[in-house]
């Protein structure tokens, strides 16, 4: 049996546009789509919902290959279900990274906890840790809590860029728009997609604010300074006499901040 993720637009805002279905018949996998609808109500971003659907699709394919059915019941789940899935993921070629395995396990664990709250707790000695959780409001004794199943991941070693690498980074921008995008990300702390989604209507000049559409389609307002406004005007393609003056002001500040 083959499964896939379909994108189905709907007028219902509480229905996830990404549906996991049987490819041959189009029948929906109820327990997965129920969880995706729940995350949609929580206002998760579309790309996050799509990634959740794909990760659950991988688990569904493994489950069907082992149990010969796409249906999951509470009685079919055991304490070692996720551990068996970890063994399967660890044997894939090419090998999956530890962070990829942890992401897939975490999403599947959240989905199973939501759809089957009375299912057995997943236990995997050596993959989980016991910690002590304080009682609400500090009243009562702390209670032991079992962490989620995780595999070890190598620690990241952050190596700072050299002076030559920083200079090469600044010199790699060919247009004022590229430089303005990076400048606005640095000055305002915006994500790359948030900067690319800006348009002229998002520059609220009377209020001295920039309107940004972030993750989960949430709208936020940020105050701007002169140099931040310069970046926004360049990115949004604002035409008019102030553009050249503001562009010169922004580039002057960048040159002063650049190394060397």
């Amino acid at each position: 049996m083959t499964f896939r993720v379909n994108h189905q637009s709907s007028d219902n805002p509480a229905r996830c546009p990404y549906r996991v279905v049987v490819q041959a018949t189009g029948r929906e996998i109820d327990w997965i789509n129920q969880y995706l609808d729940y995350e949609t109500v929580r206002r998760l971003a579309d790309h996050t919902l799509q990634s959740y659907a794909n990760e659950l699709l991988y688990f569904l394919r493994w489950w069907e290959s082992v149990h010969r059915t796409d249906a999951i019941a509470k009685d079919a789940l055991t304490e070692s279900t996720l551990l068996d899935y970890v063994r399967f993921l660890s044997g894939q070629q090419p090998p999956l990274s530890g962070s990829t395995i942890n992401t897939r396990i975490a999403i599947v664990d959240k989905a199973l906890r939501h759809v089957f709250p009375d299912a057995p707790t997943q236990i995997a000695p050596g993959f989980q840790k016991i910690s002590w959780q304080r009682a609400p409001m500090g009243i009562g004794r702390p209670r032991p809590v079992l962490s989620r199943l995780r595999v070890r991941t190598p620690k990241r070693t952050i190596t700072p860029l050299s002076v030559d690498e920083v200079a090469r980074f600044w010199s790699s921008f060919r247009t004022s728009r590229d430089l303005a995008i990076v400048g606005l990300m640095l000055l305002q702390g915006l994500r790359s997609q948030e900067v690319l989604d800006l348009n002229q209507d998002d520059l609220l000049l009377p209020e001295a604010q920039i309107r940004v559409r972030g993750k989960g389609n949430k709208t936020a307002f940020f105050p701007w300074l002169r140099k931040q406004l310069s970046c926004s005007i360049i990115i949004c393609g604002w035409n008019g006499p102030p553009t050249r003056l503001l562009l010169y002001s922004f580039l002057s500040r960048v040159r002063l901040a650049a190394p060397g």
Side-chain angles (χ1 to χ4, degrees):
M1 192 177 298
T2 307
F3 308 94
R4 61 175 298 176
V5 176
N6 280 347
H7 183 272
Q8 302 175 1
S9 301
S10 175
D11 296 332
N12 185 1
R15 176 183 171 88
C16 179
Y18 299 98
R19 318 298 292 181
V20 179
V21 301
V22 179
Q23 185 170 355
T25 62
R27 176 176 59 85
E28 293 192 356
I29 307 302
D30 294 334
W31 71 272
I32 293 182
N33 295 325
Q34 177 185 343
Y35 174 71
L36 293 176
D37 291 341
Y38 164 76
E39 295 293 1
T40 302
V41 175
R42 293 184 56 228
R43 305 295 297 275
L44 265 64
D46 285 348
H47 66 274
T48 303
L49 294 172
Q50 183 180 15
S51 66
Y52 278 25
N54 288 325
E55 301 298 356
L56 292 172
L57 176 64
Y58 291 126
F59 176 79
L60 177 64
R61 289 170 175 170
W62 168 79
W63 179 271
E64 195 275 336
S65 66
V66 173
H67 299 272
R68 303 303 177 186
T69 178
D70 57 69
I72 296 182
K74 182 185 68 173
D75 297 336
L77 296 173
T78 64
E79 296 178 346
S80 61
T81 296
L82 290 185
L83 181 58
D84 295 337
Y85 186 46
V86 169
R87 292 193 181 100
F88 167 76
L89 294 176
S90 300
Q92 295 298 295
Q93 293 295 332
L96 300 176
S97 65
S99 60
T100 299
I101 294 177
N102 288 335
T103 299
R104 294 185 178 181
I105 291 298
I107 294 175
V108 172
D109 189 21
K110 289 196 300 183
L112 294 179
R113 286 170 182 257
H114 172 74
V115 181
F116 308 101
D118 298 330
T121 302
Q122 298 298 310
I123 299 178
F127 293 84
Q128 296 168 299
K129 296 181 180 180
I130 297 179
S131 59
W132 294 90
Q133 186 179 54
R134 295 182 58 186
M137 301 181 65
I139 302 175
R141 295 182 177 180
R143 60 187 182 91
V145 178
L146 192 64
S147 66
R148 291 184 176 180
L149 192 153
R150 290 178 57 88
V151 299
R152 289 187 176 182
T153 56
K155 295 184 178 180
R156 295 182 178 180
T157 302
I158 301 176
T159 305
L161 297 178
S162 65
V163 175
D164 294 337
E165 290 173 331
V166 174
R168 190 162 58 250
F169 168 76
W170 283 108
S171 62
S172 64
F173 305 120
R174 303 302 179 187
T175 64
S176 58
R177 185 175 185 272
D178 294 339
L179 188 60
I181 289 176
V182 177
L184 193 58
M185 292 173 62
L186 294 174
L187 298 171
Q188 199 70 54
L190 301 182
R191 302 178 179 89
S192 57
Q193 190 60 46
E194 293 172 346
V195 175
L196 295 176
D197 290 340
L198 290 176
N199 53 56
Q200 293 184 10
D201 296 335
D202 295 323
L203 302 180
L204 309 178
L205 299 182
E207 294 83 4
Q209 291 180 336
I210 302 175
R211 180 173 53 206
V212 178
R213 297 172 182 84
K215 297 180 64 176
N217 297 323
K218 297 180 180 179
T219 302
F221 296 89
F222 296 91
W224 50 259
L225 303 176
R226 181 183 179 89
K227 54 185 177 181
Q228 296 166 349
L229 177 62
S230 306
C231 302
S232 304
I233 290 178
I234 298 169
I235 295 171
C236 298
W238 191 291
N239 295 319
T243 305
R244 183 175 301 176
L245 176 61
L246 293 173
L247 173 59
Y248 176 80
S249 173
F250 169 70
L251 293 179
S252 300
R253 294 173 183 272
V254 170
R255 291 193 185 98
L256 291 175

PDB file of all heavy atoms in Angstrom, residues 84-106:
ATOM      1  N   ASP A  84      11.376   0.720  18.569  1.00  0.00           N
ATOM      2  CA  ASP A  84      11.449  -0.067  17.337  1.00  0.00           C
ATOM      3  C   ASP A  84      11.575   0.842  16.122  1.00  0.00           C
ATOM      4  O   ASP A  84      12.296   0.526  15.160  1.00  0.00           O
ATOM      5  CB  ASP A  84      10.204  -0.942  17.199  1.00  0.00           C
ATOM      6  CG  ASP A  84      10.120  -1.992  18.292  1.00  0.00           C
ATOM      7  OD1 ASP A  84      11.167  -2.329  18.871  1.00  0.00           O
ATOM      8  OD2 ASP A  84       8.990  -2.453  18.584  1.00  0.00           O
ATOM      9  N   TYR A  85      10.896   1.974  16.161  1.00  0.00           N
ATOM     10  CA  TYR A  85      10.983   2.925  15.048  1.00  0.00           C
ATOM     11  C   TYR A  85      12.374   3.554  14.975  1.00  0.00           C
ATOM     12  O   TYR A  85      12.907   3.782  13.885  1.00  0.00           O
ATOM     13  CB  TYR A  85       9.900   4.000  15.219  1.00  0.00           C
ATOM     14  CG  TYR A  85       9.793   4.955  14.054  1.00  0.00           C
ATOM     15  CD1 TYR A  85       9.776   4.494  12.740  1.00  0.00           C
ATOM     16  CD2 TYR A  85       9.699   6.326  14.273  1.00  0.00           C
ATOM     17  CE1 TYR A  85       9.660   5.378  11.669  1.00  0.00           C
ATOM     18  CE2 TYR A  85       9.587   7.215  13.217  1.00  0.00           C
ATOM     19  CZ  TYR A  85       9.576   6.729  11.928  1.00  0.00           C
ATOM     20  OH  TYR A  85       9.468   7.611  10.870  1.00  0.00           O
ATOM     21  N   VAL A  86      12.988   3.806  16.138  1.00  0.00           N
ATOM     22  CA  VAL A  86      14.352   4.335  16.157  1.00  0.00           C
ATOM     23  C   VAL A  86      15.315   3.329  15.535  1.00  0.00           C
ATOM     24  O   VAL A  86      16.227   3.702  14.777  1.00  0.00           O
ATOM     25  CB  VAL A  86      14.777   4.678  17.601  1.00  0.00           C
ATOM     26  CG1 VAL A  86      16.266   4.964  17.672  1.00  0.00           C
ATOM     27  CG2 VAL A  86      14.002   5.875  18.103  1.00  0.00           C
ATOM     28  N   ARG A  87      15.136   2.051  15.843  1.00  0.00           N
ATOM     29  CA  ARG A  87      15.997   1.026  15.253  1.00  0.00           C
ATOM     30  C   ARG A  87      15.856   1.026  13.726  1.00  0.00           C
ATOM     31  O   ARG A  87      16.849   0.870  12.997  1.00  0.00           O
ATOM     32  CB  ARG A  87      15.636  -0.349  15.821  1.00  0.00           C
ATOM     33  CG  ARG A  87      15.965  -0.539  17.297  1.00  0.00           C
ATOM     34  CD  ARG A  87      15.869  -2.001  17.668  1.00  0.00           C
ATOM     35  NE  ARG A  87      16.144  -2.222  19.083  1.00  0.00           N
ATOM     36  CZ  ARG A  87      15.210  -2.396  20.000  1.00  0.00           C
ATOM     37  NH1 ARG A  87      13.920  -2.391  19.654  1.00  0.00           N
ATOM     38  NH2 ARG A  87      15.532  -2.594  21.269  1.00  0.00           N
ATOM     39  N   PHE A  88      14.625   1.191  13.271  1.00  0.00           N
ATOM     40  CA  PHE A  88      14.398   1.219  11.819  1.00  0.00           C
ATOM     41  C   PHE A  88      15.072   2.435  11.187  1.00  0.00           C
ATOM     42  O   PHE A  88      15.747   2.316  10.159  1.00  0.00           O
ATOM     43  CB  PHE A  88      12.894   1.243  11.544  1.00  0.00           C
ATOM     44  CG  PHE A  88      12.544   1.570  10.117  1.00  0.00           C
ATOM     45  CD1 PHE A  88      12.696   0.614   9.122  1.00  0.00           C
ATOM     46  CD2 PHE A  88      12.074   2.828   9.782  1.00  0.00           C
ATOM     47  CE1 PHE A  88      12.375   0.922   7.799  1.00  0.00           C
ATOM     48  CE2 PHE A  88      11.742   3.137   8.470  1.00  0.00           C
ATOM     49  CZ  PHE A  88      11.902   2.178   7.474  1.00  0.00           C
ATOM     50  N   LEU A  89      14.914   3.604  11.807  1.00  0.00           N
ATOM     51  CA  LEU A  89      15.534   4.814  11.259  1.00  0.00           C
ATOM     52  C   LEU A  89      17.053   4.728  11.282  1.00  0.00           C
ATOM     53  O   LEU A  89      17.725   5.215  10.365  1.00  0.00           O
ATOM     54  CB  LEU A  89      15.064   6.038  12.048  1.00  0.00           C
ATOM     55  CG  LEU A  89      13.580   6.402  11.943  1.00  0.00           C
ATOM     56  CD1 LEU A  89      13.270   7.584  12.853  1.00  0.00           C
ATOM     57  CD2 LEU A  89      13.189   6.718  10.504  1.00  0.00           C
ATOM     58  N   SER A  90      17.596   4.110  12.318  1.00  0.00           N
ATOM     59  CA  SER A  90      19.053   4.012  12.441  1.00  0.00           C
ATOM     60  C   SER A  90      19.652   3.089  11.396  1.00  0.00           C
ATOM     61  O   SER A  90      20.856   3.173  11.106  1.00  0.00           O
ATOM     62  CB  SER A  90      19.434   3.527  13.843  1.00  0.00           C
ATOM     63  OG  SER A  90      18.954   4.416  14.835  1.00  0.00           O
ATOM     64  N   GLY A  91      18.846   2.211  10.820  1.00  0.00           N
ATOM     65  CA  GLY A  91      19.353   1.284   9.809  1.00  0.00           C
ATOM     66  C   GLY A  91      19.179   1.758   8.390  1.00  0.00           C
ATOM     67  O   GLY A  91      19.462   1.008   7.447  1.00  0.00           O
ATOM     68  N   GLN A  92      18.730   2.999   8.196  1.00  0.00           N
ATOM     69  CA  GLN A  92      18.511   3.505   6.851  1.00  0.00           C
ATOM     70  C   GLN A  92      19.828   3.835   6.165  1.00  0.00           C
ATOM     71  O   GLN A  92      20.823   4.172   6.797  1.00  0.00           O
ATOM     72  CB  GLN A  92      17.629   4.762   6.898  1.00  0.00           C
ATOM     73  CG  GLN A  92      16.225   4.511   7.404  1.00  0.00           C
ATOM     74  CD  GLN A  92      15.452   3.566   6.509  1.00  0.00           C
ATOM     75  OE1 GLN A  92      15.162   3.874   5.358  1.00  0.00           O
ATOM     76  NE2 GLN A  92      15.126   2.391   7.041  1.00  0.00           N
ATOM     77  N   GLN A  93      19.832   3.715   4.835  1.00  0.00           N
ATOM     78  CA  GLN A  93      20.980   4.089   4.015  1.00  0.00           C
ATOM     79  C   GLN A  93      20.535   5.093   2.951  1.00  0.00           C
ATOM     80  O   GLN A  93      19.552   4.854   2.252  1.00  0.00           O
ATOM     81  CB  GLN A  93      21.578   2.852   3.345  1.00  0.00           C
ATOM     82  CG  GLN A  93      22.211   1.874   4.304  1.00  0.00           C
ATOM     83  CD  GLN A  93      23.430   2.464   5.010  1.00  0.00           C
ATOM     84  OE1 GLN A  93      24.101   3.347   4.461  1.00  0.00           O
ATOM     85  NE2 GLN A  93      23.710   1.971   6.218  1.00  0.00           N
ATOM     86  N   PRO A  94      21.247   6.206   2.847  1.00  0.00           N
ATOM     87  CA  PRO A  94      22.367   6.654   3.665  1.00  0.00           C
ATOM     88  C   PRO A  94      21.918   6.936   5.099  1.00  0.00           C
ATOM     89  O   PRO A  94      20.735   7.223   5.333  1.00  0.00           O
ATOM     90  CB  PRO A  94      22.834   7.932   2.957  1.00  0.00           C
ATOM     91  CG  PRO A  94      21.630   8.427   2.239  1.00  0.00           C
ATOM     92  CD  PRO A  94      20.872   7.211   1.816  1.00  0.00           C
ATOM     93  N   PRO A  95      22.828   6.880   6.067  1.00  0.00           N
ATOM     94  CA  PRO A  95      22.439   7.046   7.473  1.00  0.00           C
ATOM     95  C   PRO A  95      21.831   8.415   7.740  1.00  0.00           C
ATOM     96  O   PRO A  95      22.263   9.432   7.182  1.00  0.00           O
ATOM     97  CB  PRO A  95      23.781   6.875   8.216  1.00  0.00           C
ATOM     98  CG  PRO A  95      24.671   6.158   7.266  1.00  0.00           C
ATOM     99  CD  PRO A  95      24.264   6.597   5.902  1.00  0.00           C
ATOM    100  N   LEU A  96      20.824   8.425   8.600  1.00  0.00           N
ATOM    101  CA  LEU A  96      20.195   9.674   9.011  1.00  0.00           C
ATOM    102  C   LEU A  96      20.976  10.288  10.167  1.00  0.00           C
ATOM    103  O   LEU A  96      21.550   9.577  10.995  1.00  0.00           O
ATOM    104  CB  LEU A  96      18.749   9.420   9.440  1.00  0.00           C
ATOM    105  CG  LEU A  96      17.812   8.814   8.385  1.00  0.00           C
ATOM    106  CD1 LEU A  96      16.450   8.544   9.000  1.00  0.00           C
ATOM    107  CD2 LEU A  96      17.690   9.723   7.178  1.00  0.00           C
ATOM    108  N   SER A  97      20.988  11.599  10.224  1.00  0.00           N
ATOM    109  CA  SER A  97      21.657  12.271  11.334  1.00  0.00           C
ATOM    110  C   SER A  97      20.840  12.117  12.607  1.00  0.00           C
ATOM    111  O   SER A  97      19.629  11.839  12.570  1.00  0.00           O
ATOM    112  CB  SER A  97      21.852  13.759  11.006  1.00  0.00           C
ATOM    113  OG  SER A  97      20.601  14.417  10.901  1.00  0.00           O
ATOM    114  N   GLY A  98      21.505  12.298  13.740  1.00  0.00           N
ATOM    115  CA  GLY A  98      20.803  12.192  15.012  1.00  0.00           C
ATOM    116  C   GLY A  98      19.704  13.219  15.164  1.00  0.00           C
ATOM    117  O   GLY A  98      18.635  12.926  15.719  1.00  0.00           O
ATOM    118  N   SER A  99      19.919  14.424  14.666  1.00  0.00           N
ATOM    119  CA  SER A  99      18.892  15.462  14.775  1.00  0.00           C
ATOM    120  C   SER A  99      17.666  15.118  13.934  1.00  0.00           C
ATOM    121  O   SER A  99      16.530  15.399  14.340  1.00  0.00           O
ATOM    122  CB  SER A  99      19.470  16.805  14.335  1.00  0.00           C
ATOM    123  OG  SER A  99      19.928  16.754  12.986  1.00  0.00           O
ATOM    124  N   THR A 100      17.868  14.504  12.770  1.00  0.00           N
ATOM    125  CA  THR A 100      16.728  14.089  11.942  1.00  0.00           C
ATOM    126  C   THR A 100      15.918  13.010  12.639  1.00  0.00           C
ATOM    127  O   THR A 100      14.679  13.046  12.650  1.00  0.00           O
ATOM    128  CB  THR A 100      17.225  13.582  10.580  1.00  0.00           C
ATOM    129  OG1 THR A 100      17.921  14.632   9.901  1.00  0.00           O
ATOM    130  CG2 THR A 100      16.050  13.122   9.714  1.00  0.00           C
ATOM    131  N   ILE A 101      16.598  12.040  13.243  1.00  0.00           N
ATOM    132  CA  ILE A 101      15.894  10.978  13.969  1.00  0.00           C
ATOM    133  C   ILE A 101      15.122  11.567  15.144  1.00  0.00           C
ATOM    134  O   ILE A 101      13.956  11.216  15.378  1.00  0.00           O
ATOM    135  CB  ILE A 101      16.892   9.910  14.442  1.00  0.00           C
ATOM    136  CG1 ILE A 101      17.500   9.180  13.242  1.00  0.00           C
ATOM    137  CG2 ILE A 101      16.226   8.920  15.387  1.00  0.00           C
ATOM    138  CD1 ILE A 101      18.556   8.155  13.611  1.00  0.00           C
ATOM    139  N   ASN A 102      15.740  12.475  15.883  1.00  0.00           N
ATOM    140  CA  ASN A 102      15.061  13.080  17.032  1.00  0.00           C
ATOM    141  C   ASN A 102      13.840  13.884  16.602  1.00  0.00           C
ATOM    142  O   ASN A 102      12.815  13.882  17.295  1.00  0.00           O
ATOM    143  CB  ASN A 102      16.037  13.968  17.800  1.00  0.00           C
ATOM    144  CG  ASN A 102      17.079  13.175  18.561  1.00  0.00           C
ATOM    145  OD1 ASN A 102      16.855  12.022  18.905  1.00  0.00           O
ATOM    146  ND2 ASN A 102      18.216  13.778  18.816  1.00  0.00           N
ATOM    147  N   THR A 103      13.930  14.585  15.468  1.00  0.00           N
ATOM    148  CA  THR A 103      12.788  15.351  14.980  1.00  0.00           C
ATOM    149  C   THR A 103      11.629  14.435  14.628  1.00  0.00           C
ATOM    150  O   THR A 103      10.474  14.692  14.997  1.00  0.00           O
ATOM    151  CB  THR A 103      13.198  16.175  13.751  1.00  0.00           C
ATOM    152  OG1 THR A 103      14.231  17.097  14.118  1.00  0.00           O
ATOM    153  CG2 THR A 103      12.011  16.950  13.200  1.00  0.00           C
ATOM    154  N   ARG A 104      11.917  13.354  13.922  1.00  0.00           N
ATOM    155  CA  ARG A 104      10.850  12.431  13.531  1.00  0.00           C
ATOM    156  C   ARG A 104      10.228  11.757  14.749  1.00  0.00           C
ATOM    157  O   ARG A 104       9.001  11.594  14.818  1.00  0.00           O
ATOM    158  CB  ARG A 104      11.405  11.382  12.562  1.00  0.00           C
ATOM    159  CG  ARG A 104      11.830  11.974  11.225  1.00  0.00           C
ATOM    160  CD  ARG A 104      12.257  10.915  10.226  1.00  0.00           C
ATOM    161  NE  ARG A 104      12.600  11.523   8.948  1.00  0.00           N
ATOM    162  CZ  ARG A 104      13.002  10.864   7.860  1.00  0.00           C
ATOM    163  NH1 ARG A 104      13.111   9.537   7.917  1.00  0.00           N
ATOM    164  NH2 ARG A 104      13.284  11.495   6.751  1.00  0.00           N
ATOM    165  N   ILE A 105      11.067  11.381  15.712  1.00  0.00           N
ATOM    166  CA  ILE A 105      10.537  10.729  16.915  1.00  0.00           C
ATOM    167  C   ILE A 105       9.674  11.711  17.711  1.00  0.00           C
ATOM    168  O   ILE A 105       8.604  11.349  18.217  1.00  0.00           O
ATOM    169  CB  ILE A 105      11.696  10.194  17.769  1.00  0.00           C
ATOM    170  CG1 ILE A 105      12.376   9.020  17.063  1.00  0.00           C
ATOM    171  CG2 ILE A 105      11.191   9.747  19.135  1.00  0.00           C
ATOM    172  CD1 ILE A 105      11.476   7.841  16.835  1.00  0.00           C
ATOM    173  N   ALA A 106      10.113  12.946  17.837  1.00  0.00           N
ATOM    174  CA  ALA A 106       9.363  13.929  18.623  1.00  0.00           C
ATOM    175  C   ALA A 106       7.998  14.188  18.023  1.00  0.00           C
ATOM    176  O   ALA A 106       6.991  14.286  18.740  1.00  0.00           O
ATOM    177  CB  ALA A 106      10.166  15.227  18.723  1.00  0.00           C
TER     178      ALA A 106
END
